[in-house]
Every structure is written in structure tokens, then in C-alpha cells.
Amino acid sequence: KKNYPNLTQSFLSKGLASKWSKMTETQMEKRVFEDLSGAEGTTLRQLLIKYRDELVPTFKSAKTLTYKINYMLKFKVCYYNLLQLNSAHINRFKKEISQGRAPKTINAYIDTLKRVWDLARTEWGITLPPQSPFSLVTMLPVKNERDITLTDEQLAKLIEEAGKIYIKSSRQKIIGKANWLPDMIIFAASTAARYSEITNLLRKDVDFNRRLATFRDTKNGDDRTIPLSNEALQILKKQPFGERFFNIKSREVFKNYWNRARDNADLHD
């Protein structure tokens, strides 16, 4: 049809091809045809990368959000094109990331996917199906969850103050620095891992060649494997050799040093 793009489609039978051709021509004649070839040729992964590279650097929480996007890019949901993507794919992704994460954190991941879908329609000129797959995805209820996203400046300040924390003996004599504390914070920010996952991470469960770490027996009782960034890899490589990377005496010891660093960085709940 004049003033419309040339369209091609593959079918298993001549009858289906004829039916599609007639339906498309009718839509063009009635001027209700929408060219969805852009959506068909674009994957969710491409949207996330565009969002990460073009918009996220302007945000205060750019570093944290970039880590989260890079983590999401490893999942199958990102490889569907925008015509294929449906609520079942998103719900499967939600289930895959649920291990060891608070409901508010999981909702934030889904919100990011929905955000790039909306940007594709409103800012990037991609014609999408009339119904968003996210409209059928139920967000998890959040009850008094504390999930704070730090800005790059706040994270840098926290790491700086953590590097100033000294270890004291029972007689309050300084015996050294808590060098592991800033490393743990950087590793946590890079991987979004929980305290127990980090302290229980075994050297045998890290594949430096494939850049993967496997957390065993996480909060939900399952194992979880994640990709490691260059920064996370460097943190692990610099730790003293041993079965575990971070040998923390107890959670209470960690909380004591963590709270001191947080207070010195002027970060409060």
C-alpha cells in the first residue's frame, strides 16, 4: 500500500499467509495499521543497554543502578523481543531473582524493566503492542522493608569512612585496621549479595575464569550463581588465602564496625 512500509512475514502455509496479507491490507485501508516491526526487531536487552548507557549516567545512583542492570542482562527475559515478551516471562524472572531478596528490591527490578518499556514507547519511537505485559504482573507487598539505594557520593563516603575503622582489643588498644570492611561494602554494592552470602562464600565456589560466584544455601535454602564484575573479582583476588574470602568473627562484630562507618559517613535510616 502507498505510504506504508514494505512488510514481509513467514508462514507455514499459503492459507495463513493469505489471511495475514488480507488483514494487514484491511488495516491499512481503514488507517488503523500500526507497524510493529520496530518492536519485533528490538529485544528487552537492547532497551536496558540503551537506558544504562544513555540515561543512567545522569542519575545520582548511577553506579548502583548500573550494577543492577548488568545483573538483569544475564537473564533469559532480556533476550525476548518486544512482541514476544509477555507477563509469564516477567513473572519467571521475578521468581528467579527472589532468592535472598526483599520484596521491595524485587519490585525495583520489575520497575526498571517497566521503565525501559515505557521509554521505548514515549521517547524512543518504538510502536509497541497496545497492552503492556507489565499490566498483568503483580508487585509484591512490602511490609516495613528497609532497602536504601545510596547515591554514588554516599557510597564513596561510606567506603572512605570504612577504611578509617580500627580494630581494638578488649582493653581498647588499637591492633590494626578493619581492611576487610571497605572491601565487603564494595563487593556487596557490586553483587547485591547479602551479608550471610558474602561471609559464607567459599573460594572453591568462585570460578575466576568464567567470572562466576555461587552462594550456597542462601536465605531461601537454595544455591544461587551470579556473574562477577571486574571490581568484584579484584576484591576477591586481594583477600588473604583461605577457605573463605571474608573471615568475620561474628555478625555483631560486623555490625559494630558497619554502624561506626555509617555514622561517620552521616548515613541514617
Side-chain angles (χ1 to χ4, degrees), residues 138-187:
T138 302
M139 304 300 275
L140 297 176
V142 178
K143 297 180 180 179
N144 299 320
E145 295 286 349
R146 294 191 302 171
D147 186 16
I148 301 172
T149 299
L150 301 179
T151 65
D152 290 349
E153 292 77 12
Q154 289 173 321
L155 179 60
K157 182 64 175 177
L158 179 60
I159 294 170
E160 178 185 355
E161 293 302 328
K164 300 176 183 177
I165 299 298
Y166 286 90
I167 300 173
K168 295 182 179 180
S169 68
S170 57
R171 297 182 180 181
Q172 297 302 302
K173 181 180 179 180
I174 294 176
I175 57 177
K177 274 190 173 184
N179 294 320
W180 49 265
L181 184 59
D183 287 348
M184 275 191 69
I185 294 172
I186 294 170
F187 187 78

Side-chain angles (χ1 to χ4, degrees), residues 202-219:
L202 301 178
R203 192 171 295 273
K204 67 179 183 179
D205 288 330
V206 173
D207 188 329
F208 288 95
N209 292 327
R210 297 174 61 198
R211 305 164 65 90
L212 297 173
T214 299
F215 299 118
R216 304 293 182 186
D217 193 22
T218 60
K219 186 177 181 181

Side-chain angles (χ1 to χ4, degrees), residues 53-238:
D53 295 348
E54 297 181 8
L55 296 180
V56 170
T58 66
F59 301 160
K60 287 186 176 181
S61 57
K63 191 171 184 179
T64 303
L65 186 52
T66 297
Y67 284 135
K68 289 186 175 181
I69 291 174
N70 288 340
Y71 172 69
M72 287 190 284
L73 290 174
K74 303 294 182 179
F75 289 86
K76 186 176 179 179
V77 67
C78 296
Y79 290 86
Y80 291 105
N81 70 47
L82 305 183
L83 279 186
Q84 295 172 320
L85 187 66
N86 59 46
S87 58
H89 300 141
I90 301 165
N91 282 320
R92 188 179 303 118
F93 167 72
K94 186 169 69 171
K95 183 177 181 180
E96 290 170 341
I97 65 170
S98 64
Q99 298 177 10
R101 289 187 172 81
K104 187 174 181 180
T105 304
I106 297 169
N107 289 345
Y109 279 107
I110 302 302
D111 279 336
T112 300
L113 296 182
K114 183 178 183 300
R115 171 66 173 156
V116 298
W117 174 277
D118 292 339
L119 284 170
R121 183 195 299 277
T122 61
E123 302 292 335
W124 297 334
I126 300 176
T127 302
L128 298 175
Q131 183 177 37
S132 165
F134 296 94
S135 63
L136 301 176
V137 176
T138 302
M139 304 300 275
L140 297 176
V142 178
K143 297 180 180 179
N144 299 320
E145 295 286 349
R146 294 191 302 171
D147 186 16
I148 301 172
T149 299
L150 301 179
T151 65
D152 290 349
E153 292 77 12
Q154 289 173 321
L155 179 60
K157 182 64 175 177
L158 179 60
I159 294 170
E160 178 185 355
E161 293 302 328
K164 300 176 183 177
I165 299 298
Y166 286 90
I167 300 173
K168 295 182 179 180
S169 68
S170 57
R171 297 182 180 181
Q172 297 302 302
K173 181 180 179 180
I174 294 176
I175 57 177
K177 274 190 173 184
N179 294 320
W180 49 265
L181 184 59
D183 287 348
M184 275 191 69
I185 294 172
I186 294 170
F187 187 78
S190 300
T191 61
R194 303 174 68 88
Y195 168 85
S196 59
E197 294 174 336
I198 296 173
T199 55
N200 291 326
L201 180 62
L202 301 178
R203 192 171 295 273
K204 67 179 183 179
D205 288 330
V206 173
D207 188 329
F208 288 95
N209 292 327
R210 297 174 61 198
R211 305 164 65 90
L212 297 173
T214 299
F215 299 118
R216 304 293 182 186
D217 193 22
T218 60
K219 186 177 181 181
N220 290 342
D222 299 319
D223 295 343
R224 182 165 66 90
T225 300
I226 65 166
L228 296 172
S229 65
N230 288 333
E231 193 169 30
L233 283 170
Q234 291 305 313
I235 289 295
L236 294 182
K237 288 179 179 179
K238 68 184 288 193

Side-chain angles (χ1 to χ4, degrees), residues 14-79:
K14 184 177 180 181
L16 289 175
S18 179
K19 183 177 179 180
W20 173 82
S21 176
K22 290 178 180 178
M23 180 184 69
T24 302
E25 288 182 356
T26 300
Q27 290 176 343
M28 290 178 176
E29 289 171 356
K30 293 182 178 181
R31 297 186 179 181
V32 294
F33 171 77
E34 289 187 327
D35 181 14
L36 297 177
S37 59
E40 188 176 23
T42 305
T43 63
L44 188 59
R45 175 184 173 84
Q46 289 172 303
L47 294 186
L48 282 169
I49 292 174
K50 182 177 179 67
Y51 180 58
R52 180 196 66 190
D53 295 348
E54 297 181 8
L55 296 180
V56 170
T58 66
F59 301 160
K60 287 186 176 181
S61 57
K63 191 171 184 179
T64 303
L65 186 52
T66 297
Y67 284 135
K68 289 186 175 181
I69 291 174
N70 288 340
Y71 172 69
M72 287 190 284
L73 290 174
K74 303 294 182 179
F75 289 86
K76 186 176 179 179
V77 67
C78 296
Y79 290 86

